[in-house]
Amino acid sequence: MAPIPEAPGISETATDNNFSNDEARDKSRVTIVGSGNWGSVAAKLIASNTLKLTAFHDEVRMWVYEETLPSGEKLTDVINKTNENVKYLPGIKLGKNVVADPDIENAVKEANMLVFVTPHQFMEGICKRLVGKIKADVEAISLIKGMEVKPEGPCMISSLISQQLGVNCCVLMGANIANEIAVEKFSEATIGYRENRVTAEKWVQLFYTPYFSVTAVQDVEGVELCGTLKNVVALGAGFVDGLEMGNNTKAAIMRLGLIEMKAFCKLLFSSVKDSTFFESCGVADLITTCLGGRNRKVAEAFAKNGGNRSFDELEAEMLQGQKLQGVSTAREVYEVLSHRGWLQLFPLLATVHEISIGRLPPSAIVNYNEPKAVRGSNKL
Ligand SMILES: NC(=O)C1=CN([C@@H]2O[C@H](COP(=O)(O)OP(=O)(O)OC[C@H]3O[C@@H](n4cnc5c(N)ncnc54)[C@H](O)[C@@H]3O)[C@@H](O)[C@H]2O)C=CC1
Ligand SMILES: O=C(CO)COP(=O)(O)O
């Protein structure tokens, strides 16, 4: 699939004030559900484009899971006063057209386009709260890296959104460490869409900037599973760093991880395309997360402490409210592997989970005496 031409209409510069009532009614309203580190950067990207593009209302609403700051002020009030998310993205102006809203129902009720970007463990509850509260023809996109495991099998977050809310849901994943994009360092991203290319093009328009290059591919499952699984491999990379095993070992983990990611994707969804692994959502996200992500960082500390301090404890201490996705994803992937009798086929993904729950020591990430991981992964 050829990339969609870069951000059609990106140079248009009209604002809401230039339009008649009819034209204003045709414009899409965007709401972001989530306001963490990546959620806030997504707000900045989108808000810079809604000001420029005639297809969108200027205002971008951002639902904030309300909390009280040490100063005693509400986070939402501070964001609206300073135009900064002082807790999750300090020092970065979001754009004056971003409005923080602690009331989720109010935040979504006028939206035509919903951008979901919360840690994946909160999405089931959020979807339940949104049933019957959104417009009938809403388009959604998920930036969330993770999945749920139900008795009937794994459920990707985009499917959860589609099923619970009855909406079409694209995904956007990629080598996107939020703090780097926040300071406008160049990154690429991949949008996965199911059938509607026109909608995918609208999402490309909404996100694209000269420093954020977005390509759309027709492979929702492949894009979303790559973004989800690389967080598990990144824990493995972090264990290697914590044990000071060096770059060659880390490269081996990334290579074996990519093989298992691809095999897992294809076993779950035969439609997943080989080419997706070469998009930003595939190999590039794997590399950046294994080099500079939060999952890597906390896993490094876990291994340095010999597995004696839990991930929950380290997450709370090191991330100040930001959330890891890899540990719960490793558990969810492990559940799928055990349930389907695939544990032997995915030694790296399985071992990461067993280390993270303390069943194996961090050094098991490369078990030289019993090189099962290497043999098993190469068979896939
Ligand atoms: N930060 C990054 O560099 C990137 C993150 N992502 C993905 O984006 C998703 C969201 O991550 P971030 O925006 O970084 O979030 P984060 O980890 O920075 O922040 C945690 C967020 O969860 C909220 N929260 C806490 N308790 C909650 C509850 N009970 N219900 C609802 N929300 C609650 C907090 O208010 C905060 O907004 C994740 O799936 C992550 O993997 C994807 C690409 C890059
Ligand atoms: O998904 C990410 C980069 O694309 C961020 O990964 P971490 O959550 O490990 O920081």
Side-chain angles (χ1 to χ4, degrees):
M1 177 70 57
I4 287 174
E6 285 181 352
I10 200 88
S11 62
E12 297 169 43
T13 52
T15 67
D16 287 358
N17 299 334
N18 304 123
F19 288 86
S20 68
N21 286 345
D22 280 353
E23 284 166 324
R25 252 196 314 273
D26 289 341
K27 292 166 164 227
S28 296
R29 289 188 182 275
V30 184
T31 289
I32 300 172
V33 177
S35 54
N37 188 233
W38 182 218
S40 301
V41 176
K44 176 180 186 253
L45 286 167
I46 291 169
S48 72
N49 281 333
T50 58
L51 285 182
K52 290 187 204 137
L53 300 172
T54 55
F56 305 98
H57 275 277
D58 289 356
E59 181 186 290
V60 175
R61 215 151 254 274
M62 179 172 78
W63 172 64
V64 175
Y65 177 77
E66 190 64 290
E67 49 193 298
T68 307
L69 298 171
S71 62
E73 294 168 288
K74 297 284 184 206
L75 177 58
T76 308
D77 293 339
V78 176
I79 295 174
N80 285 332
K81 200 163 64 190
T82 63
N83 197 228
E84 262 181 57
N85 188 337
V86 291
K87 175 152 183 191
Y88 294 100
L89 192 66
I92 302 292
K93 295 291 176 198
L94 301 180
K96 288 201 165 34
N97 49 329
V98 175
V99 177
D101 189 339
D103 179 342
I104 195 164
E105 291 181 22
N106 189 56
V108 301
K109 72 176 187 219
E110 298 293 336
N112 313 99
M113 300 178 81
L114 288 176
V115 178
F116 288 96
V117 53
T118 70
H120 77 282
Q121 57 270 35
F122 304 129
M123 271 312 293
E124 194 147 24
I126 287 172
C127 282
K128 284 199 177 111
R129 289 174 67 187
L130 293 185
V131 173
K133 309 288 187 217
I134 60 174
K135 287 187 176 225
D137 58 350
V138 162
E139 286 290 340
I141 194 164
S142 170
L143 278 50
I144 299 165
K145 294 175 174 171
M147 64 195 215
E148 293 281 321
V149 180
K150 312 250 173 230
E152 60 275 17
C155 176
M156 301 312 298
I157 299 299
S158 67
S159 303
L160 183 83
I161 293 167
S162 286
Q163 285 161 17
Q164 298 220 0
L165 302 180
V167 297
N168 180 46
C169 188
C170 293
V171 296
L172 181 147
M173 308 277 144
N176 297 152
I177 291 187
N179 289 336
E180 297 180 13
I181 301 167
V183 291
E184 306 191 0
K185 293 181 177 171
F186 178 79
S187 297
E188 297 178 308
T190 316
I191 285 178
Y193 69 97
R194 221 167 273 289
E195 264 139 37
N196 192 338
R197 191 172 168 85
V198 175
T199 304
E201 285 176 12
K202 199 161 176 191
W203 286 119
V204 171
Q205 273 200 319
L206 190 64
F207 280 95
Y208 172 90
T209 73
Y211 63 88
F212 194 65
S213 177
V214 187
T215 300
V217 300
Q218 194 173 10
D219 185 3
V220 172
E221 283 84 11
V223 173
E224 191 170 10
L225 261 174
C226 277
T228 298
L229 295 172
K230 62 84 196 175
N231 283 334
V232 181
V233 182
L235 294 179
F239 299 147
V240 164
D241 284 345
L243 296 169
E244 299 182 13
M245 288 173 155
N247 292 329
N248 294 339
T249 311
K250 191 148 89 169
I253 294 301
M254 289 158 73
R255 185 187 79 83
L256 296 166
L258 187 59
I259 291 170
E260 292 195 10
M261 282 168 57
K262 187 169 167 214
F264 189 83
C265 289
K266 295 219 168 211
L267 278 174
L268 281 191
F269 300 99
S270 57
S271 60
V272 169
K273 296 176 178 163
D274 284 354
S275 54
T276 299
F277 297 91
F278 297 98
E279 298 291 346
S280 180
C281 64
V283 66
D285 196 8
L286 177 68
I287 292 170
T288 203
T289 311
C290 288
L291 298 181
R294 300 168 296 187
N295 285 286
R296 186 218 66 82
K297 180 174 159 183
V298 179
E300 178 184 38
F302 180 88
K304 272 195 198 307
N305 284 285
N308 293 322
R309 296 188 65 202
S310 72
F311 268 102
D312 282 349
E313 197 184 337
L314 292 166
E315 177 189 72
E317 183 179 299
M318 297 174 74
L319 299 186
Q320 287 98 37
Q322 293 185 34
K323 301 284 180 201
L324 289 180
Q325 302 285 262
V327 179
S328 47
T329 304
R331 185 188 65 242
E332 288 147 4
V333 167
Y334 194 91
E335 268 180 62
V336 176
L337 299 180
S338 339
H339 206 249
R340 303 199 173 198
W342 294 345
L343 277 172
Q344 296 299 320
L345 285 175
F346 296 90
L348 179 64
L349 297 178
T351 300
V352 168
H353 171 66
E354 294 193 347
I355 295 171
S356 73
I357 58 167
R359 198 183 287 159
L360 287 174
S363 59
I365 195 66
V366 267
N367 189 336
Y368 295 102
N369 296 325
E370 200 187 346
K372 269 197 318 227
V374 177
R375 286 209 309 269
S377 295
N378 276 338
K379 273 196 218 147
L380 288 166

